[in-house]
């Protein structure tokens, strides 16, 4: 039972980090699109450059409490995962835009769609130390 409650707690905390990252991604993507005229996928890619580092620090210190030694290895894995997540989000964004959704709605849905996969991959491959303890 403890493992399940620990996983649920981590998922809730992960959701907080994801929400923080999503706000950064959403706002910056739309600023890049509306103000600078960039394509939505490019705005999303640029915004994730900022949000990924902020979210990594959040997860290191709050969600998984793995901060300390070997953080560079976890950061490298996190950035690699972020690139995969970016690809999936861009694919989802393009599909949603092709279905006729507005940029505002498509960006929001694309960000939310990948959250559970992102949690599973982050907790399994990036911040694994806490699962071993």
């Amino acid at each position: 039972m403890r493992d399940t409650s620990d996983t649920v707690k981590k998922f809730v905390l992960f959701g907080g980090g994801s929400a923080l990252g999503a706000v950064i991604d959403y706002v910056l993507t739309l600023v890049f699109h509306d103000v600078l005229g960039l394509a939505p996928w490019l705005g999303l890619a640029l915004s994730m450059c900022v949000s990924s580092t902020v979210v990594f620090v959040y997860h290191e210190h709050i969600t998984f409490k793995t901060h300390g030694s070997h953080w560079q290895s976890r950061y490298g894995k996190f950035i690699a995962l972020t690139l995969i997540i970016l690809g999936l989000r861009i694919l989802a964004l393009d599909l949603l835009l092709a279905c006729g959704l507005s940029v505002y709605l498509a960006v929001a849905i694309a960000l939310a769609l990948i959250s559970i996969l992102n949690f599973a991959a982050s907790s399994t491959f990036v911040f694994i130390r806490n699962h071993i303890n």
Side-chain angles (χ1 to χ4, degrees):
M1 185 71 161
R2 185 178 189 280
D3 290 337
T4 301
S5 65
D6 188 46
T7 300
V8 169
K9 180 181 176 187
K10 279 190 173 83
F11 184 74
V12 169
L13 289 172
F14 188 88
S18 292
L20 175 63
V23 168
I24 293 168
D25 288 338
Y26 188 78
V27 170
L28 287 181
T29 298
L30 295 178
V31 165
F32 289 138
H33 175 69
D34 291 347
V35 176
L36 300 178
L38 298 179
W41 70 267
L42 183 55
L44 178 59
L46 293 173
S47 72
M48 285 184 70
C49 291
V50 175
S51 68
S52 62
T53 299
V54 172
V55 171
F56 174 79
V57 171
Y58 175 96
H59 290 322
E60 271 283 284
H61 292 277
I62 296 172
T63 306
F64 298 102
K65 298 181 177 148
T66 52
H67 57 283
S69 64
H70 307 294
W71 68 269
Q72 299 92 337
S73 174
R74 286 188 300 280
Y75 184 68
K77 291 177 190 176
F78 189 79
I79 294 302
L81 176 60
T82 296
L83 292 173
I84 293 167
I85 296 300
L86 171 61
L88 293 171
R89 284 180 173 170
I90 288 173
L91 179 64
L93 178 60
D94 285 347
L95 290 171
L96 293 165
L97 290 171
C99 289
L101 293 178
S102 72
V103 170
Y104 303 100
L105 186 56
V107 169
I109 293 170
L111 293 175
L113 265 178
I114 313 300
S115 293
I116 292 173
L117 173 64
N118 193 6
F119 170 73
S122 290
S123 61
T124 302
F125 300 113
V126 178
F127 301 100
I128 195 166
R129 185 182 112 198
N130 252 18
H131 293 284
I132 295 170
N133 292 339

